[in-house]
C-alpha cells in the first residue's frame, strides 16, 4: 500500500456530508488491496473485519466540511498537493489523514492478529453523526479507537454542544408605517441579557447567527431568530438553561431537529451533540497511555461521534494532525505524522487486545 498516494486520492474524492460515495469507493478499494472483504452497510458506512477474539474498532468519518472560496487556499482544496512533507487539502486533518493511518495499521495488524479488528469509516459525522449512530446499534466491541485529530495525543472525551433557537415574534408591517411592535427590539434586549448574565462554568453560550422572516428590507419581520451555540460539560443542566431563557426572554426557546438520510437509513436527530468523558482511571485508558508512553489523556475542544459509540464500549481518541488546521483554508497534515500514527494505532490495538 502506498499510503501517501492513498491519502492524496482520498482528498481528491470530494465527500461533503451526505455525498460520501466517492471517498467510500477509495476506501473500499484500499481494503480489497489488503486482502479483506469490505462492505457498505445500509447507511453507506464502509466496514471490514478480520481476526478472532476481543474486538477493537478503528473508526473515523468519511465526510468533510465545505471548502469555501478556493481563492483562499494556497493550493486547490481537493488537489491533495504534496509539498515539503505536507499533504494539503480539505479533509487532510479532519479526517482523511487519520483514516489512512488506520488503513496502514491494518496492514501491519493482519500479519499477526492477537484478536479481532474492525475498521469502520462512517458517514455524516459533521452533521449529527448518522453513520455512527446507526453502526453502533449492532456493535459491542471491547473498545473503539476514534481517529479524530489530536496531534497524536490520547484523548478521553469532550464537551457537548447544543444548537438553541430563540424565536421572537412580532407583526409584519411596511417599514414606512411600522410602530414599536418590532421583534428586533426584543432581540437587542435579549443580546444584552446574554452579555450581562453570569452562567455556570459548565456552560458557554455564544450567539452565532440572526435570521429574520420573511426577510424583506422594507418590512418589519414577523419572526426574528437568534441562534445560540451552547457548549456544556457532562454535569451541566441543559434543561435548566432552557427554562431560564424561557423565563427571562419573550421568545420561543427550543432545540431544533433535522431529518438525516443516507442510503436506506433515515433518522430525526435533535441538534444536540452530547458530551463524552472516559474516566481517568479506566483500565483501558491506562493501558493505552502506557502503550504510547504518555502520562495523561486530554480533552478535545470539539464534539465527535464518541457519545454514540461510547454507549456501546469505551472510546479512546487518537489521531494525527493539528485540530487547529481543521475546517480552515490552511488544512494540511505532515506525512511523517501520518506514518507515525499508523505505528501508534498498532501499539494501541495490541495493548487493548492484551488488557
Amino acid at each position: 500500500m502506498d499510503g501517501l498516494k492513498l491519502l492524496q486520492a482520498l482528498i481528491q474524492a470530494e465527500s461533503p456530508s451526505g455525498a460520501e460515495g466517492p471517498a467510500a469507493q477509495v476506501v473500499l478499494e484500499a481494503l480489497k488491496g489488503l486482502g479483506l472483504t469490505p462492505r457498505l452497510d445500509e447507511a453507506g458506512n464502509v466496514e471490514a473485519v478480520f481476526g478472532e477474539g476481543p474486538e477493537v474498532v478503528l473508526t473515523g468519518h468519511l465526510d468533510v466540511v465545505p471548502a469555501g472560496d478556493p481563492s483562499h487556499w494556497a493550493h486547490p482544496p481537493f488537489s491533495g498537493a504534496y509539498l515539503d512533507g505536507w499533504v494539503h487539502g480539505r479533509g487532510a486533518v479532519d479526517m482523511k489523514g487519520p483514516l489512512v493511518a488506520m488503513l496502514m495499521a491494518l496492514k501491519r495488524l493482519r500479519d499477526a492478529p492477537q484478536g479481532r479488528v474492525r475498521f469502520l469509516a462512517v458517514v455524516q459525522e459533521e452533521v449529527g453523526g448518522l453513520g455512527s449512530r446507526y453502526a453502533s446499534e449492532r456493535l459491542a466491541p471491547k473498545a473503539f479507537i476514534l481517529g479524530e485529530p489530536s496531534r497524536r495525543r490520547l484523548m478521553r472525551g469532550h464537551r457537548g454542544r447544543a444548537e438553541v433557537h430563540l424565536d421572537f415574534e412580532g407583526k409584519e408591517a411596511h417599514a414606512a408605517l411600522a410602530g414599536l411592535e418590532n421583534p428586533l427590539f426584543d432581540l437587542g434586549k435579549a443580546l444584552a441579557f446574554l452579555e450581562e448574565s453570569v452562567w455556570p462554568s459548565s456552560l458557554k453560550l455564544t450567539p452565532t447567527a440572526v435570521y429574520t422572516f420573511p426577510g424583506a428590507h422594507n418590512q418589519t419581520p414577523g419572526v426574528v431568530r437568534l441562534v445560540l451555540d451552547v457548549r456544556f460539560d457532562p454535569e451541566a443542566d441543559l434543561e435548566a438553561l432552557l427554562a431560564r431563557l424561557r423565563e427571562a426572554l419573550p421568545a420561543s426557546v427550543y432545540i431544533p431537529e433535522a431529518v438525516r438520510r443516507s442510503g436506506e437509513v433515515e433518522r430525526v436527530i435533535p441538534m444536540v451533540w452530547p458530551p463524552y468523558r472516559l474516566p481517568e482511571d479506566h483500565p483501558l485508558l491506562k493501558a493505552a497511555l502506557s502503550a504510547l508512553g504518555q502520562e495523561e489523556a486530554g480533552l478535545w475542544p470539539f464534539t465527535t461521534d464518541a457519545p454514540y459509540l461510547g454507549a456501546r464500549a469505551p472510546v479512546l481518541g487518537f489521531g494525527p494532525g493539528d485540530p487547529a488546521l481543521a475546517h480552515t483554508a490552511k488544512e494540511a497534515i505532515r506525512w511523517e505524522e501520518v506514518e507515525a500514527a499508523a505505528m501508534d494505532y498498532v501499539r494501541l490495538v495490541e495493548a487493548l487486545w492484551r488488557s
Side-chain angles (χ1 to χ4, degrees):
M1 173 187 291
D2 187 327
L4 176 56
K5 288 184 178 179
L6 176 59
L7 178 53
Q8 291 177 297
L10 200 50
I11 292 172
Q12 291 161 6
E14 298 185 35
S15 54
S17 302
E20 296 91 345
Q25 287 302 315
V26 172
V27 174
L28 283 167
E29 291 305 314
L31 290 166
K32 291 175 183 176
L34 293 174
L36 299 174
T37 306
R39 76 179 188 102
L40 282 178
D41 72 9
E42 294 80 1
N45 299 320
V46 179
E47 189 173 0
V49 64
F50 64 87
E52 298 295 337
E55 180 174 304
V56 176
V57 179
L58 289 165
T59 186
H61 62 87
L62 293 163
D63 58 322
V64 298
V65 297
D69 188 342
S71 69
H72 294 168
W73 292 73
H75 310 283
F78 297 104
S79 65
Y82 178 60
L83 293 166
D84 299 323
W86 289 78
V87 184
H88 297 259
R90 174 59 78 229
V93 172
D94 188 18
M95 58 166 296
K96 293 179 176 181
L99 282 178
V100 168
M102 288 180 171
L103 290 166
M104 294 167 67
L106 290 182
K107 183 178 180 181
R108 295 174 173 86
L109 289 166
R110 283 210 73 195
D111 292 340
Q114 305 162 35
R116 186 176 176 91
V117 176
R118 188 181 303 271
F119 173 82
L120 177 67
V122 301
V123 299
Q124 295 198 24
E125 185 273 345
E126 298 287 0
V127 292
L130 175 65
S132 282
R133 289 174 190 260
Y134 178 73
S136 65
E137 294 171 0
R138 56 179 169 76
L139 299 180
K142 186 174 185 178
F144 291 94
I145 298 174
L146 179 58
E148 292 281 1
S150 66
R151 303 187 76 171
R152 295 173 57 215
R153 182 187 178 190
L154 203 65
M155 296 289 169
R156 64 182 185 90
H158 52 73
R159 303 181 92 185
R161 174 180 178 262
E163 183 175 306
V164 178
H165 287 190
L166 286 72
D167 286 357
F168 301 89
E169 295 188 5
K171 289 186 177 181
E172 297 175 15
H174 195 293
L177 304 173
L180 295 178
E181 293 182 351
N182 187 333
L184 285 166
F185 294 128
D186 291 331
L187 170 67
K189 296 173 185 176
L191 289 171
F193 167 77
L194 292 168
E195 183 179 23
E196 295 165 3
S197 297
V198 176
W199 306 98
S201 60
S202 59
L203 288 168
K204 184 178 187 297
L205 281 67
T206 305
T208 57
V210 174
Y211 302 94
T212 61
F213 303 93
H217 289 187
N218 62 349
Q219 176 190 46
T220 57
V223 175
V224 172
R225 176 169 299 155
L226 172 65
V227 179
L228 294 182
D229 179 294
V230 179
R231 305 287 166 151
F232 60 100
D233 290 332
E235 63 271 19
D237 189 337
L238 198 56
E239 288 302 320
L241 168 65
L242 298 180
R244 181 179 173 186
L245 293 173
R246 291 178 183 127
E247 181 179 359
L249 301 173
S252 175
V253 180
Y254 60 97
I255 295 174
E257 297 178 335
V259 177
R260 302 296 184 197
R261 301 180 182 87
S262 184
E264 303 171 21
V265 177
E266 178 178 301
R267 293 285 190 278
V268 177
I269 298 178
M271 294 295 97
V272 177
W273 293 261
Y276 179 79
R277 296 281 172 86
L278 189 64
E280 290 181 282
D281 61 352
H282 195 286
L284 292 184
L285 180 62
K286 290 183 175 181
L289 286 168
S290 178
L292 296 174
Q294 298 180 11
E295 293 186 1
E296 63 179 5
L299 296 171
W300 278 304
F302 47 81
T303 57
T304 74
D305 277 346
Y308 326 124
L309 303 171
R312 307 294 293 179
V315 179
L316 303 167
F318 182 88
D322 183 352
L325 296 177
H327 297 205
T328 75
K330 296 181 179 180
E331 188 169 4
I333 194 166
R334 287 189 301 115
W335 174 243
E336 66 178 23
E337 188 176 353
V338 176
E339 291 182 303
M343 295 305 301
D344 292 331
Y345 284 132
V346 173
R347 295 186 189 97
L348 282 171
V349 171
E350 291 178 342
L352 296 174
W353 274 338
R354 293 191 299 267
S355 299

